[in-house]
Amino acid sequence: MLKREQLDLFAADHTGFLDDVSPRHLAGPGDARHVTHALAAAGWTVQSDPLAPVVDLVSPDLYYQLQHKPQPGQSRSGWSLTGSIPGEHWYASFGPIPAEILAGVTNGLLVPPPVTDLPEVWDVLADAGWTHTPLTDGAEAHSPDGVVRIKQRPIQVEADETLAWRFEVRPDADCRPPVWTAWIACSPPLHLIHGLVGALLDPSPLQRSWQEPEGHHDARRTQSSVTPQAYVAAHRARIDAVRAQARAARRQAKKVLTTAAPPVPAPSAPVRQAR
């Protein structure tokens, strides 16, 4: 459960001037609490040692687990996300992805899956001006600036073959490591892929402290019109919305259980034996 003191600490950490950073995929990791606060507000619980540099969150139904921990040999942190639902198991890993883009995935875990069919991811990317290339063993797409590549291909997991998604941000043409990558495998729910793609395609800039140098040098930084107060207020409003959404979901689940439960028969009166 997210405490008021934690929100106060978030506010205290965001009092300086902000920059607008674009494109958003080069903005740097940002504040991990953009993700973790929302999950905690939805009832996810912390399983990790609060004094360790690892955050381990588990969903109320125990189906999902998110970890945020330092990566060996690097000053940055990485994420891992697993889904263990009856009948399926999928996993994902993320490098120093901007927290706001990762939230495109984690937000999808806080709401029921859509009941209507979703469009093909490749069609969504093509509509946004990306280049889509079918491959003999899958498909890939490149952003208009050539910086981001999304690829889907089959991989072998034990005795089965399954599709995996790879997202890669590499602005340099040479062999330098990518800025960040994402790897999602074993047939994750399609709406989570759409959430990640939608957050990636969002043209709006991300806000970063002007003292935060973690973004890539190709990112454009301009002084933001968003004040620190407005930034914190937007975070609190998002948390309030997640809490209300979680409460509504719990009420609906309770209502369904109550409606579906068979009536308990009244105990019959004992039959007296005639004397």
Side-chain angles (χ1 to χ4, degrees):
M1 179 179 293
L2 187 64
K3 299 179 181 178
R4 179 178 177 180
E5 292 81 359
Q6 292 167 305
L7 288 172
D8 290 342
L9 287 172
F10 179 89
D13 290 340
H14 294 278
T15 57
F17 293 107
L18 297 173
D19 282 345
D20 285 338
V21 185
S22 60
R24 53 176 34 213
H25 50 265
L26 298 179
D31 196 324
R33 290 173 291 187
H34 186 82
V35 172
T36 58
H37 275 193
L39 297 181
W44 289 46
T45 56
V46 179
Q47 303 291 310
S48 50
D49 181 351
L51 298 180
V54 175
V55 178
D56 191 346
L57 286 162
V58 178
S59 63
D61 55 15
L62 306 181
Y63 288 163
Y64 308 107
Q65 181 179 25
L66 178 73
Q67 286 188 330
H68 180 243
K69 56 185 177 181
Q71 294 180 323
Q74 299 186 25
S75 60
R76 297 174 172 181
S77 296
W79 302 83
S80 63
L81 177 64
T82 57
S84 298
I85 306 167
E88 63 180 72
H89 177 80
W90 56 267
Y91 63 90
S93 63
F94 306 87
I97 182 175
E100 297 87 346
I101 296 179
L102 176 60
V105 178
T106 56
N107 287 346
L109 300 175
L110 306 182
V111 295
V115 296
T116 57
D117 291 336
L118 294 170
E120 285 286 340
V121 171
W122 309 115
D123 292 340
V124 174
L125 293 170
D127 290 343
W130 288 46
T131 302
H132 172 221
T133 306
L135 304 175
T136 56
D137 62 344
E140 69 177 12
H142 291 81
S143 60
D145 60 4
V147 171
V148 188
R149 182 176 71 170
I150 301 175
K151 188 173 184 179
Q152 186 189 42
R153 65 180 180 85
I155 62 171
Q156 198 74 23
V157 178
E158 297 179 350
D160 299 323
E161 187 177 83
T162 183
L163 290 175
W165 294 84
R166 178 176 172 83
F167 293 69
E168 182 179 278
V169 177
R170 190 190 295 271
D172 301 307
D174 55 22
C175 296
R176 294 180 186 178
V179 176
W180 59 265
T181 60
W183 177 260
I184 311 175
C186 296
S187 302
L190 185 58
H191 73 281
L192 300 185
I193 304 297
H194 273 273
L196 179 56
V197 169
L200 191 60
L201 295 181
D202 189 338
S204 59
L206 298 179
Q207 281 70 49
R208 296 289 184 262
S209 167
W210 66 277
Q211 295 176 317
E212 189 176 359
E214 292 181 324
H216 192 269
H217 57 77
D218 283 350
R220 300 182 297 274
R221 300 182 71 110
T222 57
Q223 185 173 343
S224 178
S225 60
V226 178
T227 65
Q229 295 80 8
Y231 183 84
V232 171
H235 182 75
R236 290 183 182 271
R238 179 167 173 260
I239 296 306
D240 288 341
V242 170
R243 280 178 171 153
Q245 178 180 279
R247 286 195 297 266
R250 287 194 294 269
R251 286 195 300 267
Q252 180 63 24
K254 184 177 180 180
K255 181 180 179 181
V256 170
L257 287 175
T258 303
T259 304
V264 178
S268 58
V271 179
R272 293 191 177 186
Q273 299 291 331
R275 295 185 179 179

